Amino acid sequence: EPEVTQTPSHQVTQMGQEVILRCVPISNHLYFYWYRQILGQKVEFLVSFYNNEISEKSEIFDDQFSVERPDGSNFTLKIRSTKLEDSAMYFCASSELGIAGHGYTFGSGTRLTVV
Amino acid sequence: AQSVTQLDSQVPVFEEAPVELRCNYSSSVSVYLFWYVQYPNQGLQLLLKYLSGSTLVESINGFEAEFNKSQTSFHLRKPSVHISDTAEYFCAVSGGPSQGNLIFGKGTKLSVKP
């Protein structure tokens, strides 16, 4: 069964450093998403991406965050200058139709720890 | 704005016992409702969903959930759990046909003991 692949599974970074989280969506999917879950809290929507541009973003997704599809297969989330509060599990997801009712396929997540 | 509340953060239960994981939502518009499951070291997997029609929806592994509009609930149930059902379960809502993003609850960790 097709999978969404996220790398790395764990990343530790120093506060103020830039990090790039990588995702390979399912090949025929056109809609891509990032969610995050701070330990003990809800899974929160960050951003959706379609046709090489952001289609929707939450208030969490401020100027420190950016997304890119650099090569037609990868979908990346960059955090420009990490803060302690960015420590979380980050989930990538992709969708064929871009409608939540049809379900997403999620990756297994990247645990980011900012020290 | 929509929100989802999962009242129980952890539910321990013995094998073969019944279980109910509670989910309540708030929304001013019609919603789609979902349960996702996360097994250890894996991604979120869709367990079941309510879009329209019958208010009782079932998964292939014996879970079911009932949409109750008057109580704004979508509780997940299984009459007899297995050790392999140990996982974290997330209730989620989306705002309808044109909505792409999901709003999740905090999750409930189901721990099935022998």
Side-chain angles (χ1 to χ4, degrees):
Chain A
E1 188 164 332
E3 290 184 344
V4 173
T5 304
Q6 289 187 244
T7 55
S9 56
H10 295 88
Q11 176 139 8
V12 180
T13 189
Q14 289 200 325
M15 193 169 55
Q17 295 295 306
E18 175 184 285
V19 294
I20 298 176
L21 309 183
R22 302 181 193 280
C23 169
V24 179
I26 292 174
S27 59
N28 66 332
H29 285 186
L30 302 176
Y31 298 82
F32 315 114
Y33 309 85
W34 284 100
Y35 285 76
R36 78 171 185 191
Q37 185 184 26
I38 295 171
L39 189 64
Q41 298 187 26
K42 299 184 179 189
V43 177
E44 301 171 293
F45 168 75
L46 292 179
V47 65
S48 58
F49 190 86
Y50 169 71
N51 200 26
N52 283 321
E53 60 183 28
I54 291 172
S55 46
E56 194 172 355
K57 62 181 181 179
S58 72
E59 58 190 26
I60 301 168
F61 194 87
D62 61 21
D63 292 343
Q64 293 296 314
F65 292 90
S66 61
V67 288
E68 195 177 31
R69 190 155 160 81
D71 56 13
S73 61
N74 288 284
F75 178 53
T76 62
L77 174 70
K78 183 193 290 187
I79 308 174
R80 196 160 295 121
S81 177
T82 49
K83 309 185 193 85
L84 294 175
E85 53 265 36
D86 293 326
S87 295
M89 179 73 88
Y90 288 81
F91 293 105
C92 174
S94 70
S95 163
E96 187 177 3
L97 298 176
I99 300 171
H102 289 266
Y104 298 164
T105 302
F106 281 90
S108 51
T110 293
R111 181 166 297 284
L112 176 66
T113 302
V114 182
V115 297
Chain B
Q2 292 127 5
S3 66
V4 176
T5 302
Q6 290 182 249
L7 293 169
D8 306 302
S9 59
Q10 297 190 52
V11 173
V13 64
F14 287 106
E15 195 174 18
E16 297 183 8
V19 72
E20 178 180 82
L21 307 183
R22 296 179 292 170
C23 173
N24 289 88
Y25 70 93
S26 67
S27 177
S28 58
V29 298
S30 297
V31 295
Y32 292 166
L33 292 156
F34 307 83
W35 277 98
Y36 279 82
V37 59
Q38 185 181 27
Y39 298 103
N41 301 314
Q42 295 187 30
L44 295 163
Q45 300 173 29
L46 182 63
L47 186 62
L48 46 75
K49 61 185 178 185
Y50 170 77
L51 304 183
S52 64
S54 172
T55 57
L56 184 66
V57 290
E58 298 177 351
S59 72
I60 58 173
N61 58 351
F63 282 93
E64 63 180 32
E66 186 158 20
F67 170 55
N68 187 320
K69 189 174 182 180
S70 62
Q71 296 187 7
T72 60
S73 68
F74 191 55
H75 301 330
L76 182 70
R77 302 184 183 95
K78 189 170 185 179
S80 175
V81 293
H82 302 280
I83 299 283
S84 58
D85 293 323
T86 295
E88 189 156 17
Y89 293 80
F90 295 90
C91 183
V93 62
S94 77
S98 62
Q99 291 293 309
N101 58 308
L102 291 168
I103 297 154
F104 284 88
K106 281 191 178 183
T108 299
K109 289 184 180 172
L110 175 63
S111 175
V112 182
K113 304 175 189 302

